[in-house]
Amino acid sequence: MRPSPTRRTVLTATAAGAAALTATGTAEAAPASADRPPATAQRPSRELRALLREIDAARIEATVRRLVSFGTRHTLSVQDNPDRGIGAARDWLLAELNSYAAASGGRMTAALQSYVQEPAPRIPTPTKITNVVATLRGSVTPERVYVVSGHYDSRVTDVMDATSDAPGADDDASGVAVVLELARVMAKRRPASTIVFAAVAGEEQGLFGSAYLAQQLKAEGTDVQGMFTNDIVGSATADDGTRDPYTIRLFTEGVPSSETPEQAALRRSVGGENDSATRQLARFVRDVADNDATGMRVRVIYRRDRYLRGGDHIPFLERGYPAARFTEPAEDFAHQHQNVRVDDTGKQYGDLPEFCDFPFTARVARVNAAALWTLAQAPGTPRNPRIITSNLTNSTSLTWAGGTEPDLVGYEVVWRETTSPEWTHVLPVGDATTHEVDLSKDNVFFGVRAVNRSGLRSPVAFPSPQS
């Protein structure tokens, strides 16, 4: 086992602002900042760069315009008209995903996932809700699953108006276009783990399609280790005309929605409000997708969602899955949830494709692709990490369960000051399931991540105390 740095070395390096330590304890880098990658950052591989180059803004634009062409995609709109309504959009989406599956060598399948939603707020009568889902089965660890979604239903000012034109270009044909482009590009490849691409319905009426998808996965015991929804990712222009075309927001909850009273008590005892599995997923996205290969800055927001709003990641959070939401940097509300019209001043309202920025959406797709592909190729998040608390000492003993991936080569212990948002120190510890660091567990936060033969790292696992 490689030796840990001594407490004196660690404290000296921390005081000097070091962000990473080598196996012998010497400082390697300065702390992460707004313009510097975290110590845990992973540079894009040649394979990933090639994948990202295939993402096509023109194809994303074509998808958005095709979805807009169905007039309305309201969940309560007609389902048996071949040209208009949510049923026409559903059938077109399935045909598109089937065309990608045909090029996958049998690895991808596409299907409709339907159920009847009984009357509920915003659902006046029993209504069939259908998700369109493509599954790209992993070749090494297919039981480990990652999900990416967008919602294909749309609305206007009156959430119950199922007949008026509701183009829904930004909200959320843009997110569905991201999902389709990812499915197209990845179908020709062999991910180690399984990726699910979902266009869900019923979002505007109450997150119904996503809730059904999440519940089905939960009922089947599916090991979903990460979920992203893309909702309103079509424009970089705010309501005042300012533009931020190289930033995407990622909304991530801290205290888990699914937390039990016992888990809450444990969290309070160790101060883990900023270390949920979702926050670790967000840090991972920054590690692998905030770089020159995507051309984007990932702005992590420490909230589950925006004020008065909600998205399709929430049903996954409620079922204990790590999940986060991508949304454009600043919204223009004149082009969301609005009847298509021009007011007395000549201002155009409505969610129309002319207000979208398709190269921006392509960059958002690259952020998603970098995160999903690296997650699928890297080892899974370490299981059952623990900090041993049976004795009062000024060192820290960590344990975790060994992974089963055939290309797993070892682990890294990471840590940071309790006031730091990013992991600042990385220590390779080899192919082990326990390690002692000569540093007090009372003063910093620790984590563990896995490393495979290709040098890809998993998301960090945050340990719980074990007496």
Side-chain angles (χ1 to χ4, degrees), residues 275-298:
D275 281 284
S276 64
T278 294
R279 289 280 165 86
Q280 308 303 348
L281 185 64
R283 292 185 178 108
F284 181 90
V285 174
R286 280 264 290 123
D287 283 348
V288 303
D290 189 325
N291 52 47
D292 66 307
T294 66
M296 292 289 275
R297 172 192 173 222
V298 179

